[in-house]
Amino acid sequence: MNCNQVGTCDALKGLCTCPAGWRGFNCVDPMKRYCTHKYRDAGFEVPLVPANLSAGVGGPHMNMFPRGHCGGFCDYNTAGCYCPSNTTYGRVPAPLDAPPGAPPVKQGRPMFQYCQPNKMPDGSDTVWGTVDPEELYGPDGWCIADAPKLQCLCYLDGWQGPTCEERVEMFCLNQCNGRGECVHGYCKCHKGWHGIDCAHRSADVDDSSPSLVEERPWIQDFMHTPAAQDFLPGATRKRPLIYVYDLPSDYSTLMLQYRHGVDSCVPRYFGTGNSTLHSIEWVYMLETGFVEMLLQSEHRTLDPEEADFFYVPVFSSCFTHPVRDTADSLREFFYHVSMNRAQGAINMVLEAYHWIQSHHPYWDRRGGRDHIWLFTHDEGTCWAPAAIKNSIILGHWGRMDANHTSNTAYGHDNYSQDYQHPQFDPEGFQKKMAPWLPCYDPQKDLVMPLQKRPDHYHLSPLLGGATRERAWLAFHRGRVQFELPQYSRGIRQRVAKAAEEGRWREKHSMLVGEREDVEGDYSELLASSVFCLVMPGDGWSARMDDAMLHGCLPVIIMDEVHVSYESVVDISQFAIRVPEADADKLPEILLAVSGERREEMQRALARVWNRYAYSGYRAYKPRFLELQAQHAAARGDNGTAAQNLVLGQPSTASRLAPSLPEAVPDLNPGADDAFTTAMAWLYSRIPDTR
């Protein structure tokens, strides 16, 4: 049935990959994601009146957070909320007799979390809304006026401008190679092309058909597929060769279509005029970023028979947040049988595992040892299902103790909380996991650096920035959360209390606190500190990578936990480990490190820092080079002219190390960066998987 005209046909397997709103082997079965209209708090459901405000479409569904509520028109494919159809800028759906997947007659202005009415037409409180209906539906309202007084968020990918009516390109992995239409992260490939990024072609594809690059030149910089070329016999290839599975969209691109937030779940997106913008807030962006790097890499192969490894692109972090925040409305969604976000994500991973095992021979061939999974969520490597524990697990959380329990401060992520359900095994949910095994095994797994955009470390001397006095002995800015003692294993709370009671800032030039306590440019603060504290958060912490990217010596305070690349880089050359029991003794420990030793450590750090930056990523490389050029111009002929610190002169500045490491202005951004380091490590692992 040609995938019901809405999906993409895999010409090799004869299977359809379906977009949001459709499922089944031929994309004929509807899969609706309704907007939610109940409020849930502490396990109690409080029914509300239907959400049919004006001419909107709604229904009685529920949700944990108010993001899924809709006081307008609900798109049942993605749970997107728009202005009602009878308003000037309302959503007008496709006619009932339109072909499947037809676009709406009128897109309509979006109504998101903070653009929901706080009153019903009868004046009663909606509970979930925050905006006076007059600001939405009045003469100057968002849904009525040409120039409304209220500015709602353009939360959907592909729409920009003051009123969210400027059409721009949407994010898709590898931008569908220019061989398909990008629809909120899903590639609807042109005839003869298929795959997660339309890189695979059938034998009778019409190569004369033009690529979309000719009409959309702005996607050119985000398309690169060396694996698609015809290699001559005996051609030299870059190993390891990695085959990226083309899974059903349910486990990957469907999550991108369901995301509410243009910069959620993705490392980049298109802004006004199709300019390139880098995501800032979503900390789990390596989940999609690493896949895109693989797809664009010379290590990718389109032939599974020659692959050294098999990568499984499951977007469990995107599912966990933000998609799961509104997923209770997915009545027919197969992750629904879960009591919290971690369990839903485990079900998702297990579904993907069973699909691979039933559709391909490669898992059983080596028991999954040559398969790669990535878990970027807070404690993701800990709740990885037992069924895939033979595989290579990439993640950010290097916890190594066995028989572990969750340390999360948030109940909806607690993987140790067991539940009974008719669809679970009689022993309960825990049987699906392997808590008796460590979350991370340094012999076969790898702790990956977080993906940080170049502007995150824009003032780093290692990027060529002007060297500045490292005037602060130690630095840490981040959440403490005294009200949640289990957060950070209690380490951050203990250090913050000791810093306040011991007056570390005044006595020792040590900055420790939350954002309101430690103000200033984060990059400048890191580049102005000798030591940077690395303590856990709700699982992993980004502080190791922040320190490395700024030439700040890491001080690691978490027992039995590996930090990024600790199994492949000798961090003892530039980092200090402090037992959790000695956390309140930091001043004496750090002051005991001689100036000569500090300089030695800083030089060692400078030799490996780029292994913690994804500087070769095609979306980041231009900005990386641009910052290098700007810093070079600012330095002039002085090379490393010092820059005064604007944060105040601490009392111990004269006792601290000089401004090291020096600038590295000519670094090739793709040389030995985080991605190539992971590839080199995987190459070394090939014999162990056979």
Side-chain angles (χ1 to χ4, degrees):
M1 297 180 64
N2 194 27
C3 301
N4 198 26
Q5 303 180 62
V6 298
T8 295
C9 178
D10 183 331
L12 296 179
K13 294 190 288 290
L15 298 174
C16 292
T17 300
C18 309
W22 305 93
R23 68 184 312 179
F25 76 93
N26 54 7
C27 302
V28 168
D29 301 325
M31 183 174 68
K32 302 303 182 184
R33 188 186 183 203
Y34 302 102
C35 294
T36 55
H37 304 97
K38 286 187 179 182
Y39 180 75
R40 175 184 290 179
D41 184 18
F44 295 98
E45 297 175 12
V46 182
L48 299 177
V49 294
N52 290 31
L53 295 184
S54 301
V57 178
H61 303 283
M62 60 184 179
N63 181 42
M64 292 177 63
F65 303 105
R67 292 183 182 179
H69 292 76
C70 184
F73 183 99
C74 178
D75 177 355
Y76 279 179
N77 290 331
T78 63
C81 186
Y82 300 86
C83 288
S85 299
N86 66 342
T87 59
T88 307
Y89 292 97
R91 174 88 159 192
V92 179
L96 293 177
D97 58 353
V105 174
K106 190 176 180 181
Q107 176 72 12
R109 290 178 182 171
M111 294 170 59
F112 190 43
Q113 184 174 3
Y114 301 109
C115 273
Q116 294 294 320
N118 60 12
K119 300 290 183 184
M120 297 297 293
D122 62 3
S124 61
D125 195 343
T126 63
V127 180
W128 38 267
T130 59
V131 176
D132 189 315
E134 187 72 12
E135 295 185 79
L136 294 168
Y137 312 125
D140 296 320
W142 171 251
C143 296
I144 301 296
D146 293 342
K149 292 182 179 179
L150 176 68
Q151 175 65 59
C152 290
L153 294 175
C154 303
Y155 70 98
L156 286 177
D157 194 7
W159 300 93
Q160 292 284 339
T163 56
C164 308
E165 293 173 284
E166 178 190 345
R167 189 75 172 91
V168 299
E169 196 75 32
M170 301 179 188
F171 169 89
C172 272
L173 294 165
N174 217 5
Q175 289 310 126
C176 306
N177 271 284
R179 299 293 184 180
E181 287 293 334
C182 177
V183 185
H184 294 290
Y186 169 79
C187 286
K188 188 179 187 306
C189 304
H190 295 163
K191 184 179 180 180
W193 299 88
H194 64 273
I196 194 171
D197 62 342
C198 304
H200 296 266
R201 59 183 178 181
S202 60
D204 59 348
V205 70
D206 183 4
D207 284 317
S208 65
S209 60
S211 167
L212 290 178
V213 175
E214 298 178 14
E215 57 185 76
R216 304 176 192 173
W218 50 84
I219 69 175
Q220 176 66 54
D221 293 338
F222 306 106
M223 292 168 39
H224 189 64
T225 313
Q229 64 181 292
D230 294 323
F231 296 100
L232 296 175
T236 300
R237 307 281 296 283
K238 273 194 175 182
R239 293 182 69 193
L241 292 174
I242 301 175
Y243 181 78
V244 180
Y245 278 118
D246 283 312
L247 301 176
S249 56
D250 308 66
Y251 315 119
S252 54
T253 57
L254 183 64
M255 299 300 104
L256 303 185
Q257 292 193 283
Y258 279 169
R259 77 191 195 273
H260 286 174
V262 62
D263 59 348
S264 296
C265 303
V266 297
R268 59 173 181 84
Y269 59 100
F270 293 91
T272 299
N274 286 304
S275 58
T276 301
L277 298 177
H278 298 152
S279 300
I280 303 173
E281 297 297 332
W282 204 64
V283 295
Y284 312 115
M285 68 181 71
L286 187 65
E287 183 169 77
T288 44
F290 192 75
V291 176
E292 185 160 64
M293 291 179 221
L294 272 179
L295 297 177
Q296 297 173 345
S297 168
E298 292 181 81
H299 293 280
R300 181 189 186 184
T301 177
L302 300 182
D303 180 5
E305 292 298 333
E306 68 173 4
D308 297 309
F309 294 102
F310 298 83
Y311 187 83
V312 188
V314 176
F315 297 163
S316 58
S317 289
C318 186
F319 165 74
T320 303
H321 175 75
V323 172
R324 182 67 171 89
D325 289 353
T326 51
D328 282 335
S329 63
L330 297 171
R331 294 296 191 183
E332 301 175 8
F333 210 39
F334 41 69
Y335 318 144
H336 179 68
V337 183
S338 62
M339 307 304 169
N340 64 25
R341 302 194 305 186
Q343 292 181 359
I346 293 172
N347 286 340
M348 181 185 196
V349 173
L350 284 172
E351 289 282 352
Y353 154 72
H354 287 298
W355 189 92
I356 290 171
Q357 194 177 38
S358 61
H359 286 80
H360 292 277
Y362 308 110
W363 180 276
D364 291 335
R365 186 172 63 183
R366 297 192 175 103
R369 291 189 303 275
D370 54 359
H371 282 57
I372 304 169
W373 304 74
L374 175 66
F375 293 87
T376 60
H377 208 262
D378 302 344
E379 296 184 295
T381 54
C382 293
W383 51 252
I388 69 166
K389 275 293 189 175
N390 277 344
S391 300
I392 294 171
I393 308 293
L394 308 181
H396 299 318
W397 188 220
R399 184 176 173 181
M400 295 183 290
D401 55 315
N403 299 310
H404 52 84
T405 57
S406 176
N407 285 148
T408 184
Y410 308 106
H412 49 269
D413 289 337
N414 187 347
Y415 64 81
S416 297
Q417 182 65 55
D418 208 358
Y419 296 95
Q420 299 292 328
H421 189 280
Q423 294 189 30
F424 294 166
D425 291 318
E427 293 86 350
F429 192 87
Q430 290 286 302
K431 187 177 180 181
K432 297 184 178 183
M433 298 170 47
W436 56 90
L437 297 175
C439 308
Y440 153 81
D441 179 353
Q443 298 301 314
K444 70 172 188 66
D445 303 329
L446 188 63
V447 182
M448 301 287 292
L450 273 75
Q451 187 172 341
K452 301 283 188 176
R453 64 193 182 109
D455 279 302
H456 180 77
Y457 51 99
H458 66 114
L459 293 178
S460 172
L462 295 165
L463 191 59
T467 54
R468 61 190 69 239
E469 184 67 45
R470 291 196 177 267
W472 300 103
L473 176 63
F475 167 70
H476 183 275
R477 185 171 78 183
R479 289 183 296 173
V480 177
Q481 304 196 108
F482 285 106
E483 73 281 4
L484 297 172
Q486 65 271 47
Y487 177 76
S488 185
R489 299 181 172 186
I491 300 172
R492 291 195 188 189
Q493 297 91 323
R494 183 179 175 190
V495 170
K497 182 179 179 181
E500 181 179 2
E501 294 178 350
R503 300 178 61 231
W504 288 3
R505 178 167 183 161
E506 295 79 8
K507 291 183 177 181
H508 309 296
S509 300
M510 296 175 64
L511 287 176
V512 178
E514 301 204 26
R515 182 179 296 272
E516 58 268 23
D517 304 316
V518 183
E519 298 180 347
D521 185 293
Y522 189 57
S523 183
E524 183 177 17
L525 288 163
L526 287 160
S528 304
S529 303
V530 178
F531 295 103
C532 289
L533 308 186
V534 180
M535 300 178 283
D538 196 54
W540 57 259
S541 167
R543 300 307 186 270
M544 176 66 181
D545 311 318
D546 290 342
M548 295 298 296
L549 294 173
H550 288 85
C552 186
L553 303 177
V555 180
I556 304 163
I557 315 172
M558 43 188 180
D559 300 345
E560 294 189 90
V561 177
H562 266 191
V563 293
S564 304
Y565 284 165
E566 186 166 354
S567 62
V568 295
V569 174
D570 184 4
I571 68 168
S572 66
Q573 295 187 26
F574 51 78
I576 296 175
R577 273 199 173 272
V578 175
E580 294 177 14
D582 295 335
D584 52 0
K585 301 176 183 177
L586 280 173
E588 56 190 272
I589 293 173
L590 299 183
L591 288 171
V593 181
S594 68
E596 180 180 5
R597 174 57 181 156
R598 287 197 293 259
E599 291 183 28
E600 180 183 312
M601 294 169 70
Q602 286 172 320
R603 291 191 178 95
L605 186 156
R607 290 192 290 269
V608 299
W609 81 277
N610 194 44
R611 295 189 184 276
Y612 292 77
Y614 293 89
S615 52
Y617 177 41
R618 293 179 69 83
Y620 289 171
K621 187 174 182 179
R623 180 57 178 161
F624 189 98
L625 294 172
E626 183 180 37
L627 286 170
Q628 281 185 322
Q630 290 175 0
H631 290 319
R635 286 195 312 272
D637 296 330
N638 299 355
T640 59
Q643 189 175 59
N644 292 328
L645 189 67
V646 298
L647 303 170
Q649 187 69 18
S651 59
T652 58
S654 60
R655 292 187 278 133
L656 302 184
S659 301
L660 288 173
E662 296 180 351
V664 185
D666 300 320
L667 177 70
N668 179 352
D672 294 332
D673 75 344
F675 180 78
T676 58
T677 299
M679 293 300 104
W681 177 82
L682 284 169
Y683 179 75
S684 74
R685 287 279 303 142
I686 293 176
D688 299 305
T689 64
R690 298 304 186 256

